Amino acid sequence: MPNCSEKPPIIFDMDGTLLDLAYDDFIWNDLLPVRYAETHHCSLEQSRTTLYAFYQEHNHTLNWYSSRFWTAKVEVDVLAMQIEHKSKVALRPQALELLDYLKANGYPIWLATNADCAGLSFKLEHLQLKDYFDVIVSSETIGHAKEFVEFWQGLNALHPFDPEQVYFIDDTEKVLNGAKAYGIQNLFSIKQPSSSKVSRETCNYPMLHQLTDLITYLNQAEVNKQYA
């Protein structure tokens, strides 16, 4: 029988949630088109058109998140390219403040990301984040992207959790839809995943402007549990 006093796991996405998505925007939308044009001796406009078609074809699949796949597809070592510019990898505002609060208050902290294992590893090492997390899982390991119920089934098989109790924060609505379809109820999005883009105006899920806004929801849930 579960211990009702235990704190629920807080499951975070990585890119666009804990980390500023501006880095990934730069890699995929600015730098890779230049490298692809250089490699294939085409114009930057042709490069962007070709890559955009590739992106549309593979969006929301495991291939989309695989550095090995993209290296083979575009003939540019995309993992090496990412590591070359790792100085641009940055936390979103108040990420450490929230992680420190959760750790100090006994919340299990999980990381569930679509980033492949190689990309996940270098980002965690660069930002020295690994020790914050009790569970770290890449969709590459599960074999399904987070957009699909099968990811959540696989995660629960590896690390059991109650979908009605956990909290999940992600910047991608389609991912949140997949989590909702599995039965996860405490779902939150991010108002400004990338500092290089304007904040979102609407979303079908509550949006956190600052990550520490989550603390208010957690405290209210604790009050509700006490008086239930």
Side-chain angles (χ1 to χ4, degrees), residues 21-65:
L21 200 62
Y23 166 81
D24 297 272
D25 290 339
F26 165 74
I27 292 294
W28 298 100
N29 299 331
D30 296 329
L31 185 58
L32 184 56
V34 172
R35 296 288 174 86
Y36 185 89
E38 292 171 348
T39 299
H40 296 277
H41 309 290
C42 64
S43 70
L44 185 56
E45 181 180 0
Q46 290 172 321
S47 173
R48 292 187 187 280
T49 299
T50 300
L51 289 174
Y52 178 77
F54 290 162
Y55 293 168
Q56 291 297 104
E57 179 182 0
H58 297 284
N59 197 12
H60 298 296
T61 69
L62 279 181
N63 284 343
W64 172 259
Y65 305 104

Side-chain angles (χ1 to χ4, degrees), residues 175-187:
V175 170
L176 292 167
N177 290 342
K180 182 178 180 180
Y182 181 66
I184 296 176
Q185 297 183 10
N186 300 306
L187 298 168

Side-chain angles (χ1 to χ4, degrees), residues 42-104:
C42 64
S43 70
L44 185 56
E45 181 180 0
Q46 290 172 321
S47 173
R48 292 187 187 280
T49 299
T50 300
L51 289 174
Y52 178 77
F54 290 162
Y55 293 168
Q56 291 297 104
E57 179 182 0
H58 297 284
N59 197 12
H60 298 296
T61 69
L62 279 181
N63 284 343
W64 172 259
Y65 305 104
S66 171
S67 56
R68 287 194 302 273
F69 169 81
W70 286 113
T71 295
K73 183 75 172 176
V74 303
E75 299 178 34
V76 175
D77 189 334
V78 295
L79 180 61
M81 185 178 67
Q82 291 177 74
I83 295 174
E84 177 187 348
H85 292 273
K86 66 182 181 181
S87 62
K88 293 182 179 292
V89 177
L91 288 160
R92 292 191 61 255
Q94 299 186 359
L96 288 183
E97 288 86 342
L98 177 57
L99 293 174
D100 285 335
Y101 173 87
L102 295 174
K103 185 68 72 176

